[in-house]
Amino acid sequence: MVLKLALLVAALVAVVSPAAALWPQPRNITTGSTALRLSPLFTISLSSIHGAPSDLVEAVARAETYARTDNLGRLVVGRGSSDVAAYQHAKTLSVLELSLSQGAKVQSITTEAQKPLEERDEAYTLSIPSDGSTAKLTASSTLGLFHGLTTFGQLWYENAGTIYTLSTPVDIEDSPAYPYRGLMLDTARNFFPVSDIYRTLDAMSMVKINTFHWHVVDSQSFPLEVPGFTDLAEKGAYDPTMVYTATDVKNIVAYAGARGIDVMVEIDTPGHTAIISQAHPEFVACAQSSPWSTFANEPPAGQLRFADPNVTQFTTELLHAVAEMFPGTMLSTGGDELNIPCYDADTETQSLLQSSGQTLEEALNVYVQAEQKTLASVGKTPAVWEEMVLVQNVTLSPDTLVLVWISSDDVKAVAQAGFKIIHSASDYFYLDCGGGGWVGDNPSGNSWCDPMKTWQLSYTFDPVANLTADEAKLVMGGQHLLWTEQSGPENLDPIVWPRAASSAELFWSGPGGNVTSALPRLHDVSFRMRQRGVNSINLQPLWCALRPDACDLNA
Amino acid sequence: MVLKLALLVAALVAVVSPAAALWPQPRNITTGSTALRLSPLFTISLSSIHGAPSDLVEAVARAETYARTDNLGRLVVGRGSSDVAAYQHAKTLSVLELSLSQGAKVQSITTEAQKPLEERDEAYTLSIPSDGSTAKLTASSTLGLFHGLTTFGQLWYENAGTIYTLSTPVDIEDSPAYPYRGLMLDTARNFFPVSDIYRTLDAMSMVKINTFHWHVVDSQSFPLEVPGFTDLAEKGAYDPTMVYTATDVKNIVAYAGARGIDVMVEIDTPGHTAIISQAHPEFVACAQSSPWSTFANEPPAGQLRFADPNVTQFTTELLHAVAEMFPGTMLSTGGDELNIPCYDADTETQSLLQSSGQTLEEALNVYVQAEQKTLASVGKTPAVWEEMVLVQNVTLSPDTLVLVWISSDDVKAVAQAGFKIIHSASDYFYLDCGGGGWVGDNPSGNSWCDPMKTWQLSYTFDPVANLTADEAKLVMGGQHLLWTEQSGPENLDPIVWPRAASSAELFWSGPGGNVTSALPRLHDVSFRMRQRGVNSINLQPLWCALRPDACDLNA
């Protein structure tokens, strides 16, 4: 009877404090309840991989360092002090051995991460015995090995100088449900130093996000130095110090690639381009026109005169130059929030249309097709916002990736049009919602997409809601997005983390996750991010974080 | 004609970019449009003040440093580069001379700041001529001088190594509309290191907030080391490193006092005390009872058994010991969210009531009166949350300060009861609203007080709405408040600043401020805070911050 009670208590403890707080949850995992310590001499061996690429060697070095320095106390009362009995006589792990499947081509993580979505291989297998014998991580690609290293790093806690896990043996077979798992950052409304982007990439890689959707320029500023088009940043950046130089971009792309992350840059056109008027006033209609609300969804107004063949030439040459800066295969030409009254009022556009005999829509079609042709010529897959399909009705290349942002209700129509989908819906994934209205002179204004999108809401999104089985195949994944009207380096981490981890798990582990069992693991994500210098916020009082489920609504 | 146009342009510039972006707006100010440079040898003279207290000497040294090191570029396109013509031949200010009015007693800023609300003298007069002759700051108290130094510091911008202002001569006669201008921080749901509190006090002083309402303990943790009651923190703090020692408190009080800030500590009783059960299980009813939602507004449940004379003795002795740690005259005993079902279910309380023949309400009355008697015996003015007046109906000392938090609609009733009021309404001043629901197992939960309370909303609050002239006299001021269920050091600055500056101006400059004209000045506050290491956030894209009014709704 006493034994039975003890077992029951043990079972309860196991339920309420997940000893293996992995995020995203691996798709196949079995864990035991035997403790294992990490040897002070622990190393990760690459000896079985001939010609291991340098970014893998570096990832291994970082993983060794993290295992030693994360020093995360387990999120239970006492922060692991009660685990001593469990681990003090445990075996010690000395080696994690990495290997590639037979016949696998040895390529860098970066190369693997930058492949087209459908060619990426992110799967891995991780096995950690309880007896201290060599742990094994295998994959068919270095990208898979990288993800396995990330998982391995989430297993360890520290107490009084001992690094240990409570949940061996561990056997994991893992691969993502969706190939696209992103985070979008707008660096045009407000600027972020390169160091902020590095830190964000680090955090992204911790939860296996594999795409940095970089909304780099917009109407407010043009902080991107593009070879051959340097006047755009010279005249359009907020400040000479607020520019991503070509070297910065190269470094960011490399930093991302080494962390399993592709960069999908966005040059939003033909709308959201007011600032280009600083260098090329002749290319921009209704630049800074007043009242801005007649000519744009937010200030300042200004859109490229796409009916002008010179603008088409400028745009395609710019896209060509940008494409050369970014080795990944995806590139977004934007296409959201086109304002028609702006062109109606633009005498230049009207006379161009008159002389060409085109309607505005026909001219737009010509312009977008020229953009897509340019991208195709340099091997890029085009991405656009949903209006290009649902509002403007332009003819798009069938391989176009469509980002649905206005509402998740629009997913069905895009799928019916036959396009691949990246979930980016404002009603689930916009990190800026709920932050209050930001236009001046509006005392009672709230954000247009109130309320705040909580991690719970994003986490419970259904990526295939209302879709047929065939339509569901068009879903490539999804992402959180941060528009930065009210953000900057000051609140980047707190507004993004840990919330953006919820879509990372949704699109890796697949839908259907339970918020109650996810919460303790998400606390773990947040606390581990802090150990690595990311200001990820508290989701609950520490009292709750240390007592899983004690703060559930009905606890 | 050309001249006329130039004048018109100058006038427009003056309208859209306030050369004197002071916050809070002084109550009487005239400024000119003559530039003045700050001499590299600029000093602030205290020579006319005999026996200047050390905290004033230090404040002067900080003010000299800030003037030299803020290096804030003016928030216009070019960040002040177009000001060169205006300032390059300007006169140079070498000396700001401080003096106290004749007959004024020389006391430290700290002493002045810790006086009872009605005895504080925060007024000052500042005069800066255009000709480079000595600027003068006078007041009847060192506290007034301190505020004047703060105002002085907000006048200066930097461009290419030159520190200048565009708006001399400056003549200011200033004093606050309300004596209480606070900020409440909860350090119990989540803990904040002392350095975070120092930084917050620095930011508070920048906008003349004069009271730090320190909600130091609550049901989740007891991070306060109280001499004679050290077991409360030993057993109730989250961690031995998460304790404010008696020395920390002394340092915080001193740091605050030297910045014109009084500390009003709160020991919330008899509710919000679950964690006391760790040291004194016998004093706490329904400690961690389940379901918590039956016994408390948030987890964990647990309230002091106020019907027990031992608990009354414990409470009054604790309050006495706490009172000795805090030299200011205000001390809050809390009194919010008392849960009656907890006491109904508590057999201990029921048997105490039965043997004493008291009702629960009568016992509470005895308890609260014992608390207030203790405070009176050590010269403290008691503060309580509104329920003590409106729900529990206990007999309170007539000098009690009442914090109205549930709704601003309750202000009238508290005023009708004749109590002094500190505006703290959740519908205007809660910084945590809009942050999403935090209890577990509640996927669709939002914060109970959605939406987010924007700075515009707080700024346009009317402190005397629905009050008679006599009732209006009961309003002592008000404050923003941060409850920290979802906050910690990671998001303290971004969630507080610059929003909390809106109530600082409301209660200093008085109601009726205009959000449109305030916004450019508030940008200035936010940017200057950043120059001093406070992560105050962007309210708009930088494009808008540099172009006052260009992003107004109807611009």
Side-chain angles (χ1 to χ4, degrees):
Chain A
M1 188 63 189
V2 169
L3 181 66
K4 212 169 167 184
L5 186 67
L7 283 171
L8 182 66
V9 169
L12 280 171
V13 168
V15 167
V16 298
S17 65
L22 306 178
W23 193 285
Q25 184 75 8
R27 309 216 28 230
N28 294 288
I29 177 169
T30 61
T31 55
S33 53
T34 303
L36 181 69
R37 288 177 295 160
L38 199 72
S39 166
L41 303 172
F42 171 76
T43 56
I44 300 175
S45 166
L46 278 168
S47 61
S48 78
I49 301 175
H50 300 293
S54 62
D55 58 7
L56 180 61
V57 173
E58 284 160 19
V60 159
R62 285 200 307 278
E64 287 175 345
T65 301
Y66 289 145
R68 284 195 199 96
T69 61
D70 271 357
N71 287 339
L72 178 63
R74 205 157 66 85
L75 293 179
V76 290
V77 175
R79 301 302 298 272
S81 57
S82 58
D83 294 339
V84 176
Y87 70 63
Q88 65 182 346
H89 301 301
K91 302 286 184 184
T92 298
L93 180 67
S94 297
V95 180
L96 168 67
E97 186 179 281
L98 269 55
S99 60
L100 284 168
S101 321
Q102 217 174 356
K105 196 173 161 190
V106 181
Q107 293 182 305
S108 69
I109 299 170
T110 303
T111 301
E112 299 279 1
Q114 292 168 352
K115 285 183 176 175
L117 286 182
E118 56 274 17
E119 294 175 27
R120 292 181 194 172
D121 182 352
E122 302 188 277
Y124 68 94
T125 302
L126 176 64
S127 161
I128 307 175
S130 297
D131 64 359
S133 62
T134 297
K136 307 216 166 175
L137 170 59
T138 63
S140 303
S141 74
T142 54
L143 180 58
L145 291 176
F146 177 77
H147 288 319
L149 286 172
T150 302
T151 302
F152 179 82
Q154 293 176 345
L155 286 163
W156 304 95
Y157 298 97
E158 186 267 356
N159 181 59
T162 299
I163 295 162
Y164 66 98
T165 181
L166 296 179
S167 51
T168 67
V170 176
D171 284 288
I172 295 172
E173 258 193 68
D174 201 10
S175 63
Y178 292 97
Y180 184 106
R181 304 173 309 281
L183 176 70
M184 192 214 77
L185 179 67
D186 161 14
T187 58
R189 268 62 177 233
N190 281 302
F191 181 82
F192 296 82
V194 172
S195 60
D196 285 319
I197 294 181
Y198 285 167
R199 193 179 63 258
T200 301
L201 292 165
D202 278 326
M204 289 162 65
S205 76
M206 289 177 74
V207 292
K208 301 187 173 72
I209 291 176
N210 70 359
T211 309
F212 173 41
H213 173 188
W214 192 0
H215 186 88
V216 61
V217 297
D218 206 295
S219 273
Q220 289 83 359
S221 75
F222 199 103
L224 182 67
E225 181 190 87
V226 182
F229 296 82
T230 51
D231 54 343
L232 296 175
E234 275 159 21
K235 297 182 179 170
Y238 279 135
D239 187 273
T241 65
M242 294 182 172
V243 171
Y244 303 105
T245 66
T247 305
D248 289 338
V249 169
K250 207 171 171 177
N251 290 339
I252 287 168
V253 166
Y255 197 95
R259 283 152 185 81
I261 298 169
D262 191 15
V263 181
M264 177 173 82
V265 70
E266 176 181 351
I267 305 295
D268 201 350
T269 58
H272 289 273
T273 48
I275 204 70
I276 291 176
S277 69
Q278 300 291 314
H280 294 285
E282 72 281 13
F283 291 167
V284 179
C286 55
Q288 297 192 35
S289 287
S290 178
W292 60 261
S293 55
T294 302
F295 302 111
N297 280 18
E298 68 178 54
Q303 308 183 139
L304 287 171
R305 287 187 170 115
F306 57 77
D308 180 350
N310 293 323
V311 170
T312 306
Q313 189 183 347
F314 163 80
T315 303
T316 54
E317 288 175 0
L318 174 65
L319 287 173
H320 197 281
V322 169
E324 291 194 338
M325 302 173 77
F326 293 88
T329 61
M330 298 179 285
L331 195 153
S332 173
T333 54
D336 56 323
E337 299 188 311
L338 209 59
N339 180 291
I340 304 305
C342 164
Y343 293 116
D344 289 346
D346 185 46
T347 53
E348 182 78 15
T349 293
Q350 293 307 315
S351 87
L352 285 160
L353 292 176
Q354 200 161 24
S355 61
S356 70
Q358 290 175 316
T359 63
L360 191 70
E361 195 167 79
E362 286 166 350
L364 180 63
N365 208 19
V366 170
Y367 175 82
V368 174
Q369 287 190 34
E371 286 186 319
Q372 294 212 323
K373 193 176 158 193
T374 297
L375 295 191
S377 75
V378 290
K380 302 292 188 195
T381 301
V384 296
W385 296 111
E386 63 169 289
E387 291 99 313
M388 286 283 113
V389 174
L390 301 182
V391 180
Q392 311 304 343
N393 196 27
V394 298
T395 307
L396 297 170
S397 160
D399 67 337
T400 303
L401 296 161
V402 179
L403 289 83
V404 177
W405 70 275
I406 296 174
S407 166
S408 55
D409 292 340
D410 298 342
V411 168
K412 179 76 178 177
V414 173
Q416 284 175 329
F419 289 103
K420 289 180 182 165
I421 289 157
I422 296 172
H423 286 295
S424 306
S426 57
D427 47 338
Y428 282 89
F429 300 115
Y430 270 30
L431 293 162
D432 49 313
C433 298
W438 62 267
V439 293
D441 201 10
N442 188 23
S444 58
N446 283 313
S447 69
W448 70 273
C449 53
D450 258 22
M452 179 197 179
K453 308 308 169 212
T454 65
W455 77 265
Q456 298 96 323
L457 179 73
S458 316
Y459 190 72
T460 50
F461 177 75
D462 179 358
V464 296
N466 304 320
L467 301 184
T468 66
D470 276 348
E471 288 166 356
K473 289 178 193 158
L474 296 168
V475 175
M476 294 293 105
Q479 61 185 5
H480 270 84
L481 307 92
L482 181 60
W483 301 103
T484 59
E485 284 87 354
Q486 298 175 96
S487 288
E490 297 73 24
N491 62 348
L492 174 62
D493 292 7
I495 209 167
V496 173
W497 305 111
R499 268 197 293 165
S502 64
S503 61
E505 175 154 303
L506 169 64
F507 293 112
W508 178 284
S509 311
N514 175 287
V515 293
T516 311
S517 60
L519 178 55
R521 291 186 296 109
L522 192 53
H523 282 308
D524 235 76
V525 171
S526 196
F527 278 70
R528 199 175 291 273
M529 281 189 175
R530 286 187 218 162
Q531 300 298 95
R532 298 191 190 172
V534 178
N535 277 326
S536 182
I537 69 168
N538 290 315
L539 297 171
Q540 292 189 320
L542 183 56
W543 194 91
C544 305
L546 299 183
R547 293 166 180 84
D549 293 322
C551 296
D552 285 351
L553 195 55
N554 299 311
Chain B
M1 187 62 186
V2 169
L3 180 65
K4 212 168 167 185
L5 185 66
L7 283 173
L8 182 65
V9 168
L12 280 171
V13 167
V15 167
V16 299
S17 66
L22 306 179
W23 193 285
Q25 184 75 11
R27 304 203 46 218
N28 293 288
I29 177 170
T30 61
T31 57
S33 54
T34 304
L36 182 68
R37 289 178 295 162
L38 199 71
S39 166
L41 303 173
F42 170 76
T43 56
I44 300 175
S45 166
L46 278 168
S47 62
S48 77
I49 301 176
H50 300 293
S54 63
D55 59 6
L56 181 61
V57 173
E58 285 159 19
V60 160
R62 285 199 308 278
E64 286 175 345
T65 302
Y66 289 145
R68 285 197 197 96
T69 61
D70 271 358
N71 286 338
L72 178 62
R74 204 157 67 85
L75 292 179
V76 290
V77 175
R79 300 303 298 272
S81 57
S82 59
D83 294 339
V84 175
Y87 70 64
Q88 65 182 345
H89 302 300
K91 303 286 184 184
T92 299
L93 179 68
S94 296
V95 180
L96 169 66
E97 186 179 282
L98 270 53
S99 59
L100 284 169
S101 320
Q102 217 173 355
K105 195 170 161 191
V106 182
Q107 293 181 302
S108 69
I109 299 169
T110 304
T111 300
E112 299 278 2
Q114 292 168 352
K115 286 184 175 173
L117 285 183
E118 56 274 18
E119 294 175 27
R120 291 181 195 171
D121 181 353
E122 302 188 277
Y124 68 94
T125 302
L126 176 64
S127 161
I128 307 175
S130 299
D131 64 0
S133 61
T134 297
K136 308 217 166 173
L137 171 58
T138 62
S140 304
S141 74
T142 55
L143 180 58
L145 292 176
F146 177 77
H147 287 319
L149 286 172
T150 303
T151 302
F152 180 83
Q154 293 177 344
L155 285 163
W156 305 95
Y157 298 97
E158 186 267 354
N159 181 59
T162 298
I163 294 162
Y164 65 98
T165 181
L166 296 179
S167 51
T168 67
V170 176
D171 285 287
I172 294 172
E173 259 192 66
D174 202 10
S175 63
Y178 292 97
Y180 184 107
R181 305 173 308 282
L183 177 69
M184 193 216 75
L185 179 66
D186 160 15
T187 58
R189 267 61 175 233
N190 281 302
F191 181 82
F192 297 81
V194 172
S195 60
D196 286 318
I197 294 180
Y198 285 167
R199 192 179 63 259
T200 301
L201 292 166
D202 278 326
M204 289 161 65
S205 76
M206 289 176 73
V207 292
K208 301 188 173 73
I209 292 176
N210 70 359
T211 309
F212 173 41
H213 173 187
W214 192 359
H215 185 89
V216 61
V217 296
D218 207 296
S219 273
Q220 289 84 359
S221 75
F222 200 102
L224 183 67
E225 181 190 86
V226 182
F229 296 82
T230 52
D231 54 342
L232 296 175
E234 275 160 21
K235 297 181 179 172
Y238 280 136
D239 187 272
T241 64
M242 294 183 172
V243 172
Y244 303 105
T245 66
T247 304
D248 289 338
V249 170
K250 206 170 173 178
N251 290 338
I252 287 168
V253 166
Y255 197 94
R259 284 153 184 82
I261 298 169
D262 190 16
V263 181
M264 178 173 81
V265 71
E266 176 181 351
I267 305 296
D268 201 350
T269 58
H272 289 273
T273 47
I275 205 69
I276 291 177
S277 69
Q278 299 292 313
H280 294 285
E282 72 281 13
F283 290 168
V284 179
C286 56
Q288 297 192 36
S289 288
S290 178
W292 59 261
S293 55
T294 302
F295 302 111
N297 279 18
E298 68 178 54
Q303 307 183 141
L304 286 171
R305 288 187 170 116
F306 57 77
D308 181 350
N310 294 323
V311 170
T312 305
Q313 188 183 347
F314 164 80
T315 303
T316 54
E317 288 175 2
L318 174 65
L319 288 174
H320 196 282
V322 170
E324 291 195 338
M325 302 173 76
F326 294 88
T329 60
M330 297 179 284
L331 194 154
S332 174
T333 54
D336 56 322
E337 299 189 312
L338 208 59
N339 179 291
I340 304 304
C342 165
Y343 293 116
D344 288 346
D346 185 45
T347 52
E348 183 79 14
T349 292
Q350 293 308 316
S351 87
L352 285 160
L353 292 176
Q354 200 162 21
S355 61
S356 70
Q358 291 175 315
T359 64
L360 192 71
E361 196 168 80
E362 285 165 350
L364 180 63
N365 208 18
V366 169
Y367 176 82
V368 174
Q369 287 190 32
E371 287 185 319
Q372 294 212 325
K373 193 177 157 194
T374 297
L375 295 190
S377 75
V378 289
K380 301 293 186 193
T381 301
V384 296
W385 297 109
E386 63 169 288
E387 291 100 313
M388 286 283 112
V389 175
L390 301 182
V391 180
Q392 311 304 343
N393 196 28
V394 298
T395 306
L396 297 170
S397 160
D399 67 337
T400 303
L401 296 161
V402 179
L403 289 84
V404 177
W405 71 275
I406 297 174
S407 166
S408 55
D409 292 339
D410 298 342
V411 168
K412 179 76 178 175
V414 173
Q416 284 175 328
F419 290 102
K420 289 180 182 165
I421 289 158
I422 297 172
H423 286 296
S424 307
S426 57
D427 47 338
Y428 281 88
F429 300 115
Y430 270 30
L431 293 161
D432 50 313
C433 298
W438 63 267
V439 291
D441 200 10
N442 189 21
S444 59
N446 283 313
S447 68
W448 70 272
C449 52
D450 259 22
M452 179 196 177
K453 308 309 168 212
T454 65
W455 76 265
Q456 297 96 324
L457 179 73
S458 316
Y459 190 71
T460 51
F461 177 75
D462 180 359
V464 296
N466 304 320
L467 301 185
T468 66
D470 275 347
E471 288 166 355
K473 289 177 193 158
L474 296 168
V475 175
M476 294 293 105
Q479 62 184 3
H480 271 85
L481 306 93
L482 181 60
W483 301 103
T484 60
E485 283 87 354
Q486 297 176 96
S487 287
E490 297 74 23
N491 62 348
L492 174 62
D493 292 7
I495 209 166
V496 173
W497 304 112
R499 268 197 293 164
S502 64
S503 61
E505 176 154 301
L506 169 63
F507 294 111
W508 177 284
S509 311
N514 176 288
V515 294
T516 311
S517 61
L519 178 56
R521 291 186 297 110
L522 192 54
H523 282 308
D524 236 75
V525 171
S526 196
F527 278 70
R528 200 175 290 272
M529 282 189 175
R530 287 187 218 162
Q531 300 298 97
R532 298 191 191 172
V534 178
N535 276 326
S536 182
I537 69 169
N538 289 315
L539 297 171
Q540 292 190 319
L542 183 56
W543 193 90
C544 305
L546 299 183
R547 293 167 180 83
D549 293 323
C551 295
D552 285 351
L553 196 56
N554 298 311

